[in-house]
Amino acid sequence: MGPAALRTEVLAGLVVGLALIPEAISFSVIAGVDPEVGLFAACSMAMVIAVVGGRPAMISASTGSVALVVAPVARQHGLGYLIATVLLAGVFQIVLGAAGVAKLMRFVPRSVMVGFVNALGILLFTAQLPNLRDVPWPVYPLVGAGLVIMVLFPRLTRAVPAPLVAIVVLTLVTVAAGIAVPTVGDKGRLPSSLPVPGLPDVPYTAHTLTVIAPYALAMALVGLMETLMTAKLVDELTDTPSDKRRESIGQGVANIVTGLFGGMGGCAMIGQTMINVKSGARTRLSTFLAGFFLLVLCVVLGPVVSDIPMAALVAVMVLVSVGTFDWHSVRPATLRRMPVGETAVMALTVVVVVATGNLSIGVVVGSVVAMVIFARRVARFAGVTSVTDPEGRQVVYAVRGELFFASSGDLVARFDYANDPDDVVIDLSGTHVWDASSVAALDAVEAKYAQRGKKVTITGLNEASASLHGRLSGELAGEH
């Protein structure tokens, strides 16, 4: 790594470390724990995932989605049970990662991915609105000044990230001029000492396991989904691949370490990841330094960091939200070219994510709807044509398209059982038999012809279709 690249990684890590502070404190409030629980989680998640091999340039820390999942545990049972939940969630993530759950990402279509990105941009923007309501009037010109700095400064030089320049300049202005505006310190007290590792103070019984297991599994699934979606997005932005299985296992290890140090756990942070990537970072060094700088900023430089105006961080996140949104996807020209179903899935994903505030729910709903639309679309391509020989002794039915549960349902009605000759050939060389529903439909066709004393010969099956048909044919009498 050359000096220029090293400088970029270091400065990007510093910017992200600063941006993590208000977010981690806010998520601690959501989870119902002290600010230091979220801050230490952000520190340890970032540093550990960088060491165990997370996706380069991606930031993992305490997140709102994880905070929402574990909040009931902390509220009803206390901090000890929350930490135990984080540890168990880490174990679940390691198991799921080793089992190959990351491969499921291939089933997330592009329309859902675009919806995910657009919803993310909206959520990042709306998350800043509370910091702009009922605040002193100087907040608004400060936010505007921060945006101007970040837009214009890169035209002068890119040696220093523009967000860092904006944060430093606005902090100096507010402190020097004595401008009274909300600061990072108003969000909560920063920790003054390092955390001490240890096991959670809970009874190690079957009852404790039954209490935390459902929340731990939910946390593991939500964390992995948000992490893998973020990793896929960074893959596209940087045009570099990443090992999703390694990432999944790494998230589990990071959560276990975080739990041992009393943190609330977390996963990949899309907002801070976007700041990191757009600052030019491309390696795990920036991820590690983000956690390290956050630790130093909180423990050593707490009084200085407390003076940073929230307006500076709001400006950074607003610009990130605008840059995150895929504006090309909503251009009239793009919408006219896109299939209606694809646009509907993208819009539905955005609506669900924004309505629930949960990226994972939106991705699941969008993916399911996309699969239903795809199944309906493919089902329409299945067709049957027939040719009877001149002497009327044999009829050949040619089946085209894909045979699966959505297309095989009306297959039985496509044959003329009463008027066909005694010799019937069903040519399946133009199709593929995908499931038991299709085999059951073919069995039903043969049975109807057999009732009339007519013989059916099935030809043209490819190897996979023939294997499935041979294994199931005649065994599905109760299914048709």
Side-chain angles (χ1 to χ4, degrees):
M1 183 184 298
L6 178 61
R7 182 177 63 250
T8 298
E9 296 290 323
V10 172
L11 293 177
L14 179 57
V15 172
V16 173
L18 288 167
L20 280 171
I21 295 173
E23 297 279 329
I25 294 174
S26 299
F27 298 148
S28 298
V29 173
I30 293 174
V33 296
D34 292 335
E36 64 181 19
V37 177
L39 289 166
F40 285 145
C43 297
S44 59
M45 285 292 297
M47 290 191 287
V48 174
I49 197 66
V51 172
V52 298
R55 204 266 173 239
M58 192 165 77
I59 304 297
S60 291
S62 50
T63 59
S65 55
V66 168
L68 288 171
V69 171
V70 300
V73 182
R75 186 169 57 250
Q76 298 170 19
H77 303 283
L79 180 61
Y81 278 82
L82 183 148
I83 302 303
T85 300
V86 173
L87 291 170
L88 184 58
V91 174
F92 282 151
Q93 287 180 328
I94 292 175
V95 173
L96 291 170
V101 70
K103 293 179 181 178
L104 295 176
M105 288 304 298
R106 71 181 67 178
F107 296 108
V108 178
R110 182 185 179 279
S111 54
V112 173
M113 190 68 189
V114 173
F116 168 85
V117 170
N118 289 345
L120 173 63
I122 295 172
L123 288 181
L124 289 174
F125 180 81
T126 56
Q128 310 313 311
L129 296 182
N131 295 311
L132 298 174
R133 297 193 192 104
D134 301 321
V135 294
W137 69 265
V139 167
Y140 304 109
L142 285 172
V143 171
L147 292 172
V148 170
I149 291 172
M150 287 184 288
V151 171
L152 298 181
F153 188 79
R155 299 181 181 181
L156 299 176
T157 178
R158 293 184 178 273
V160 181
L164 179 59
V165 175
I167 292 171
V168 172
V169 169
L170 295 186
T171 302
L172 292 175
V173 169
T174 54
V175 172
I179 302 174
V181 292
T183 64
V184 169
D186 296 329
K187 286 288 184 178
R189 185 176 60 85
L190 301 181
S192 58
S193 61
L194 295 174
V196 178
L199 294 174
D201 183 17
V202 296
Y204 293 87
T205 62
H207 176 263
T208 300
L209 185 61
T210 58
V211 168
I212 67 174
Y215 296 103
L217 182 58
M219 175 184 165
L221 293 173
V222 168
L224 283 181
M225 181 171 294
E226 194 158 336
T227 295
L228 294 174
M229 287 295 291
T230 304
K232 187 174 181 180
L233 176 60
V234 178
D235 289 352
E236 295 179 0
L237 289 174
T238 62
D239 196 26
T240 55
S242 61
D243 188 338
K244 306 300 187 298
R245 179 176 178 273
R246 183 176 180 179
E247 180 66 49
S248 302
I249 295 174
Q251 288 290 325
V253 174
N255 270 310
I256 290 175
V257 174
T258 296
L260 292 175
F261 279 92
M264 58 180 274
C267 62
M269 289 192 79
I270 183 67
Q272 274 63 25
T273 296
M274 293 300 292
I275 294 174
N276 197 43
V277 171
K278 291 185 179 298
S279 295
R282 291 294 182 270
T283 74
R284 298 185 183 94
L285 178 60
S286 60
T287 305
F288 179 87
L289 290 177
F292 176 76
F293 284 143
L294 176 59
L295 190 63
V296 174
L297 289 168
C298 291
V299 177
V300 181
L301 301 175
V304 176
V305 173
S306 296
D307 289 333
I308 295 175
M310 285 301 301
L313 298 177
V314 168
V316 171
M317 294 308 294
V318 166
L319 195 65
V320 168
S321 68
V322 172
T324 299
F325 195 91
D326 186 352
W327 298 100
H328 176 77
S329 68
V330 295
R331 287 173 54 190
T334 303
L335 294 175
R336 283 195 298 269
R337 294 189 186 99
M338 290 291 290
V340 175
E342 300 260 339
T343 302
V345 168
M346 179 192 72
L348 178 64
T349 303
V350 172
V351 169
V352 173
V353 170
V354 173
T356 62
N358 191 313
L359 294 164
S360 302
I361 294 176
V363 170
V364 171
V365 172
S367 297
V368 170
V369 172
M371 290 177 186
V372 171
I373 292 175
F374 173 76
R376 286 173 58 86
R377 186 183 303 159
V378 173
R380 295 196 188 104
F381 292 112
V384 179
T385 56
S386 63
V387 176
T388 303
D389 70 3
E391 299 180 3
R393 296 178 181 178
Q394 184 186 71
V395 60
V396 178
Y397 283 92
V399 182
R400 297 288 183 269
E402 304 299 316
L403 283 183
F404 65 113
F405 63 89
S407 61
S408 62
D410 64 347
L411 182 67
V412 180
R414 306 294 293 274
F415 297 85
D416 189 356
Y417 302 99
N419 300 316
D420 280 341
D422 293 342
D423 188 5
V424 178
V425 176
I426 301 178
D427 180 10
L428 300 180
S429 58
T431 187
H432 185 99
V433 180
W434 286 102
D435 57 13
S437 297
S438 303
V439 177
L442 292 171
D443 283 355
V445 171
E446 290 189 79
K448 286 183 177 294
Y449 277 117
Q451 290 172 1
R452 295 167 173 79
K454 300 177 181 181
K455 177 188 175 185
V456 174
T457 303
I458 295 178
T459 64
L461 286 167
N462 59 38
E463 184 177 350
S465 299
S467 175
L468 181 66
H469 184 266
R471 189 166 67 251
L472 296 181
S473 182
E475 303 297 329
L476 305 171
E479 299 189 23
H480 55 77

